Amino acid sequence: MGRRSERLSKQGMLASDLAGEGDVIQVVSRAFDVLRCFEGHEARLGNLEISNRCGLPRSTVSRLTHTLTRMGQLVYLPRDQKYRIGPSAVAMSTSMMRGLQLRNLIQLRLQDVAEQLPGTVGFVIPDRFHLVYLEFARAANALGLNSSTGSRIAMASTAAGHAYTAALDVDVGDALLAEMEREIPEGAKLLRPRLETNRRFLRDHGYVIACGLWSPHINGLAVPLWSPQYQTFVVLTIGLLSAMYDEKRLHNEVAPRLLELGAVIGGMLEGADGDIFSNRMQSKPLPVPTHNNKIIKTEDKNELEAGARRPRPARSVRARDGRR
């Protein structure tokens, strides 16, 4: 009886530890949900506005904003009775971005394409059910297309989002879609009917298009790339006026340029842990892959990002053996 009681006691402690870990994960997740509501350093939000944006009870938001303020992640503005991003959050993001010469090189490449095509060219990274612009470039005559670094776009209603979800391994993409159906069902209704078609098209051609999905006046095309730094897929995307670029022109004129851009930036990402971060980078040629690799097959799930997997040796997206 003594051994059985001891075993049951240990099992109870383990269950309690797991439950406690689950509670911590939930609190941290909700804290990040609150921080995501602040889309710029100047954004000012009250608890009610935050509650409406992230779908959490106002009492929960009140506790989270109080804790985040004590940590310096938020600052309380007594006159407005609102919060804004705090110094700790700014310092953390600044330190993470320090020395990222890679982004400057990517921006130059984006601008080269933007000068040729009258649209907005972006380099985006996933954030739950959205994507965030890390860099962007815009043609001077790109009417009706407004984006900036840090802007968030919906995954379900953009070419970039459809390319990202199509790039994920099937089980990971399906899990993401199931989570989306629970939390934002209207987004899942846009994505689900197109997912299999997007997967096949991406495997065969290396890109995904979305015409009139985000706006009836905008057509988009996107190319996903594996990022060793972020251990997830990032996406190159372009938005163009549908009156100027219909679906045929996207395939014939836009896709070749964005695929070429993807090959160049893919080479940058692969070499980013080496010389591209050093002070000698300007004296060396940019790494450009000699293959026509558009997307990299992955393995080993990364716990921090749905669909993030470590890359295998580069493979062409056009491989016919069923692997991406």
Side-chain angles (χ1 to χ4, degrees):
M1 287 292 292
R3 289 185 177 180
R4 183 172 183 272
S5 298
E6 182 180 356
R7 184 168 64 253
L8 291 174
S9 176
K10 288 181 178 179
Q11 290 174 349
M13 292 173 62
L14 177 60
S16 177
D17 289 343
L18 291 175
E21 182 180 350
D23 291 341
V24 170
I25 292 173
Q26 186 179 53
V27 170
V28 172
S29 176
R30 288 178 172 180
F32 276 108
D33 285 341
V34 169
L35 292 174
R36 285 190 184 98
C37 293
F38 295 82
E39 296 187 358
H41 291 171
E42 300 301 319
R44 303 183 180 199
L45 301 172
N47 284 334
L48 179 59
E49 294 168 294
I50 297 171
S51 175
N52 291 335
R53 289 192 179 194
C54 61
L56 294 173
R58 189 171 180 180
S59 58
T60 300
V61 170
S62 179
R63 291 193 296 270
L64 289 170
T65 52
H66 176 72
T67 301
L68 290 169
T69 299
R70 291 181 60 186
M71 296 171 60
Q73 301 294 319
L74 295 177
V75 171
Y76 182 65
L77 306 172
R79 180 180 300 177
D80 301 329
Q81 295 186 341
K82 293 186 176 184
Y83 297 87
R84 64 180 298 177
I85 287 293
S88 293
V90 175
M92 182 170 61
S93 61
T94 301
S95 63
M96 290 174 64
M97 295 304 178
R98 186 187 304 128
L100 291 185
Q101 295 99 327
L102 173 63
R103 287 182 56 188
N104 293 331
L105 290 177
I106 289 175
Q107 202 282 329
L108 291 175
R109 295 293 183 170
L110 299 183
Q111 192 62 49
D112 286 343
V113 174
E115 295 298 331
Q116 303 170 30
L117 297 168
T120 294
V121 187
F123 178 67
V124 300
I125 188 170
D127 180 18
R128 295 204 70 201
F129 307 130
H130 292 78
L131 298 110
V132 178
Y133 277 87
L134 289 183
E135 290 296 337
F136 84 105
R138 183 174 183 269
N141 57 341
L143 301 175
L145 297 168
N146 298 306
S147 298
S148 61
T149 300
S151 294
R152 294 162 61 84
I153 56 176
M155 193 171 286
S157 59
T158 58
H162 283 233
Y164 170 76
T165 52
L168 301 175
D169 280 359
V170 172
D171 57 338
V172 180
D174 289 346
L176 177 62
L177 184 59
E179 186 179 359
M180 188 180 293
E181 285 177 327
R182 289 192 298 269
E183 299 198 25
I184 50 169
E186 66 282 1
K189 287 180 181 179
L190 286 175
L191 183 58
R192 179 173 286 282
R194 301 167 182 257
L195 185 55
E196 287 302 325
T197 300
N198 288 339
R199 285 169 172 164
R200 290 193 299 270
F201 195 89
L202 177 65
R203 182 169 59 247
D204 293 338
H205 303 283
Y207 63 93
V208 169
I209 65 169
C211 295
L213 189 60
W214 177 71
S215 163
H217 307 294
I218 302 298
N219 289 340
L221 186 147
V223 175
L225 304 168
W226 176 258
S227 168
Q229 296 78 30
Y230 297 115
Q231 286 291 289
T232 187
F233 288 101
V234 294
V235 183
L236 289 171
T237 185
I238 185 169
L240 297 145
L241 289 177
S242 57
M244 298 177 63
Y245 285 85
D246 58 12
E247 185 171 345
K248 183 177 180 180
R249 289 194 73 183
L250 287 180
H251 291 300
N252 294 339
E253 301 177 30
V254 180
R257 294 182 183 179
L258 215 65
L259 288 171
E260 182 181 358
L261 177 65
V264 173
I265 292 182
M268 293 180 183
L269 295 175
E270 289 175 6
D273 288 332
D275 291 331
I276 204 162
F277 280 102
S278 75
N279 292 329
R280 302 189 306 274
M281 60 179 291
Q282 295 297 343
S283 64
K284 295 179 176 288
L286 295 178
V288 179
T290 57
H291 51 75
N292 190 28
N293 183 50
K294 306 303 186 306
I295 187 172
I296 300 174
K297 169 66 179 176
T298 58
E299 62 183 3
D300 299 335
K301 290 184 182 179
N302 184 307
E303 296 177 353
L304 298 181
E305 174 60 46
R309 306 194 173 197
R310 291 185 177 87
R312 294 177 180 172
R315 296 183 56 86
S316 169
V317 72
R318 304 182 189 215
R320 303 285 182 170
D321 60 358
R323 291 180 289 177
R324 292 198 296 280

